[in-house]
Amino acid sequence: MEILSHFYEVIIEEGFEGASIAKIAEKMSVNPSLLIHYYKTKDAMIEGLIEHIINTYSSHILPDFSKVEDPKERWEDVLDVVSRIQWGTFLNTTVFYSAYTLSLRDPGVKNKFTELYEKVVGQLQDEIAHAQQANIIQVKDTRQAAQLVMTLIEGANFYQNVSHNGVDIEKRSRMIKETITLMTDNNI
Amino acid sequence: MEILSHFYEVIIEEGFEGASIAKIAEKMSVNPSLLIHYYKTKDAMIEGLIEHIINTYSSHILPDFSKVEDPKERWEDVLDVVSRIQWGTFLNTTVFYSAYTLSLRDPGVKNKFTELYEKVVGQLQDEIAHAQQANIIQVKDTRQAAQLVMTLIEGANFYQNVSHNGVDIEKRSRMIKETITLMTDNNI
Amino acid sequence: MEILSHFYEVIIEEGFEGASIAKIAEKMSVNPSLLIHYYKTKDAMIEGLIEHIINTYSSHILPDFSKVEDPKERWEDVLDVVSRIQWGTFLNTTVFYSAYTLSLRDPGVKNKFTELYEKVVGQLQDEIAHAQQANIIQVKDTRQAAQLVMTLIEGANFYQNVSHNGVDIEKRSRMIKETITLMTDNNI
Amino acid sequence: MEILSHFYEVIIEEGFEGASIAKIAEKMSVNPSLLIHYYKTKDAMIEGLIEHIINTYSSHILPDFSKVEDPKERWEDVLDVVSRIQWGTFLNTTVFYSAYTLSLRDPGVKNKFTELYEKVVGQLQDEIAHAQQANIIQVKDTRQAAQLVMTLIEGANFYQNVSHNGVDIEKRSRMIKETITLMTDNNI
DNA sequence: GATGAATGAGTGTTCATTCAT
DNA sequence: GATGAATGAACACTCATTCAT
């Protein structure tokens, strides 16, 4: 929605702590009380934003691989996508980590994040099982493997922001792919 | 310092955005203007806190392994420590991720984080090189391996907070250790 | 406006340095933040006040003499008015000199004052020229004469405030009138 | 004194309303409480400053003409000095008018100003009487004449600050001298 | 003769929110 | 569907001042 996307913008510019109703309204060239008119309170607005973030993440992080028929090709597609995931492309990092940090204190937000990751890990697990059935990879525990992949993805994204002069995205991708392949080749 | 530790406490309770000078002062049973007496501005106070966080992280994340003489034992110690790293023990997660999120917008803070990880990864790289020389592990590129370990650590910590009903710490530890061993046994 | 006139009042009672938004609001029995709602900043409020002062001065210091037809009578009217000008009647002295003092440091305020005096001196010059054409007075340089009259007016007003036991307004008036007449009779 | 001259400087830069003990202390690279140590209160400090201003004005505005023996030359000297008086030279205008404005609200300050002008006008009156006795000038009432001269001086100084592109000091001087001469030649 | 810790009232300003229109 | 007036609490920060050292 109009309001949420401006909320989003303000967080990027001023951080979560600097995102006030007045600033959002100013950016929209609209009266502050209008925002309150829609979202009764600021907390409700934050809730709306969190939902927006979760939805964006959820619908962008992994595409639907089911239309790829050849299992080998499909698994390679998964590896390709997974190793290249980066927040910046579909979700601003400041906004994402602000929401994540909020989840640490707010049980409601935490639940949403938990569900989100449950879903994504589930999808990953399905792909692993699918590849396993086709004898392309070999893992002991599909869920554990999916969690490990998720861990790698999040770790890589986290680490990327504290790296000296950026990160070579191709090299990073290769490294992640190699690691996953190593795991799936060795019955982890 | 007295002030910073109270700042820290308030962030835990109310988040970074809720940590005002007044609340910190109230927790200290002291007049708000006294805090300004020491740190001229709130920004300076934040800077002090960031430094405190960085120092805590830096001095707690990895111990000094050099006193362990047997290289094999030493590497196993490293694996043990690394696989068990958890923010919660020496650094509150909300505080840590608040600082991290701030680093995404503030170049000064970002620099401090970059240096921090540079140092930690360097230390990790030294341990890997040491184990390599003793023929305990086999890696192609010590720096890249160290980065991968770091990625795993950060990813695991990130993922832990969005897991359903907590995480079995022993299982998690085993998983990380296995993964690293897999990598270091296979010349990654 | 409502706000400015209360600002004005507070300056009279507490001086320019003592006129805070809170005090103005209290006098209006209104919340301080309401004043900020109208004038975004205090500086803007001061600017508004300066404008108000300038306008008051400008519209009260000299009436329109053009409706007096007989030139001699008209010039006598001018002399009468000019010799009797006193801040106190239409502009509080503290407020006026506060604004004047501010003009010494603030170029924007200074400009407004300059324009104001430019206008008043111009009007005075017109009257002098008018009387000159009717052969009632005799001056070399109408502008210089107008400036001299202005100097006398301001000087008299300044001096009045540092006089022992007030000033006999009739005597003062006579003195000013005499001096001007002396000048205009002697081709200054 | 050290403190007062720094107080003075701060007023020039930030106006009377901006001159706080902290800023003065900072300018002196000294602890604020030291200023309170000397002048118990800020009001006492202001009083000290006023005294300093009055003294400066009093001792600089008119020199001692008594050593000039020839009465004609002496009167010409008086005219020369009087027509050239300008605050800027020995007293900053902002500081002077700040003190003057304060005198309008504070009876104690007002008294000091009254005495000051009493003294200066008295000195002027003496010079006029002296010239009168030597038949150089011709005035009805020496006191009234002195007041008129004072009025001219203050008016000229006031007007100078609101003039467009400064004032031609030579022209201004001539104008004042002419006016005084006109008065003293015509038995005002 | 000077400092630094500490206070409490006050500064201008922003905050989320309410209400009447 | 939107505005503007109004509020009261909170914000970071400055003020003059006190006191102990």
Side-chain angles (χ1 to χ4, degrees), chain B residues 3 14 16-17 25 30 33 41 58 65 74 95 109 114 152 158:
Chain B
I3 293 178
E14 318 233 22
F16 195 78
E17 60 274 16
V30 112
S33 55
T41 64
S58 175
F65 296 101
R74 178 166 169 176
V95 176
V109 179
T114 305
L152 261 176
F158 180 98

Side-chain angles (χ1 to χ4, degrees), chain B residues 113-177:
Chain B
F113 266 89
T114 305
E115 278 170 35
L116 167 65
Y117 279 97
E118 200 64 42
K119 185 186 144 197
V120 176
V121 168
Q123 199 180 342
L124 227 39
Q125 187 176 355
D126 289 348
E127 292 302 329
I128 289 170
H130 189 266
Q132 171 115 302
Q133 271 160 6
N135 266 319
I136 295 157
I137 62 173
Q138 189 68 24
V139 300
K140 267 201 298 251
D141 180 340
T142 55
R143 176 160 169 84
Q144 186 174 306
Q147 284 176 333
L148 244 165
V149 170
M150 202 69 233
T151 298
L152 261 176
I153 297 173
E154 295 296 350
N157 272 282
F158 180 98
Y159 187 67
Q160 178 160 352
N161 294 317
V162 292
S163 282
H164 229 353
N165 23 28
V167 151
D168 179 347
I169 185 65
E170 280 311 318
K171 200 175 148 199
R172 196 195 83 154
S173 168
R174 233 179 299 122
M175 208 165 99
I176 294 177
K177 231 189 281 188

Side-chain angles (χ1 to χ4, degrees), chain B:
Chain B
M1 220 245 260
E2 183 70 354
I3 293 178
L4 292 185
S5 69
H6 284 89
F7 191 176
Y8 194 98
E9 291 301 318
V10 176
I11 291 179
I12 294 173
E13 289 165 23
E14 318 233 22
F16 195 78
E17 60 274 16
S20 70
I21 289 183
K23 284 180 195 151
I24 301 167
E26 202 200 330
K27 199 162 218 63
M28 297 174 72
S29 325
V30 112
N31 197 285
S33 55
L34 187 59
L35 305 207
I36 296 277
H37 178 69
Y38 290 109
Y39 297 89
K40 305 276 170 202
T41 64
K42 196 191 179 183
D43 277 357
M45 242 174 90
I46 293 175
E47 205 186 313
L49 182 72
I50 296 291
E51 218 131 306
H52 171 68
I53 292 170
I54 296 277
N55 289 342
T56 305
Y57 187 113
S58 175
S59 62
H60 282 81
I61 190 164
L62 289 180
D64 182 14
F65 296 101
S66 65
K67 60 206 166 209
V68 185
E69 280 180 20
D70 178 39
K72 195 174 165 66
E73 197 185 326
R74 178 166 169 176
W75 176 243
E76 270 159 16
D77 275 10
V78 171
L79 277 184
D80 251 25
V81 166
V82 154
S83 69
R84 281 191 152 74
I85 285 171
Q86 281 187 100
W87 297 159
T89 46
F90 60 87
L91 211 50
N92 174 274
T93 42
T94 289
V95 176
F96 176 74
Y97 281 107
S98 291
Y100 177 81
T101 305
L102 183 58
S103 84
L104 300 172
R105 280 184 307 120
D106 183 322
V109 179
K110 171 152 188 157
N111 275 347
K112 283 183 186 138
F113 266 89
T114 305
E115 278 170 35
L116 167 65
Y117 279 97
E118 200 64 42
K119 185 186 144 197
V120 176
V121 168
Q123 199 180 342
L124 227 39
Q125 187 176 355
D126 289 348
E127 292 302 329
I128 289 170
H130 189 266
Q132 171 115 302
Q133 271 160 6
N135 266 319
I136 295 157
I137 62 173
Q138 189 68 24
V139 300
K140 267 201 298 251
D141 180 340
T142 55
R143 176 160 169 84
Q144 186 174 306
Q147 284 176 333
L148 244 165
V149 170
M150 202 69 233
T151 298
L152 261 176
I153 297 173
E154 295 296 350
N157 272 282
F158 180 98
Y159 187 67
Q160 178 160 352
N161 294 317
V162 292
S163 282
H164 229 353
N165 23 28
V167 151
D168 179 347
I169 185 65
E170 280 311 318
K171 200 175 148 199
R172 196 195 83 154
S173 168
R174 233 179 299 122
M175 208 165 99
I176 294 177
K177 231 189 281 188
E178 251 178 73
T179 309
I180 296 177
T181 305
L182 191 62
M183 296 179 335
T184 52
D185 281 358
N186 284 274
N187 194 28
I188 205 168

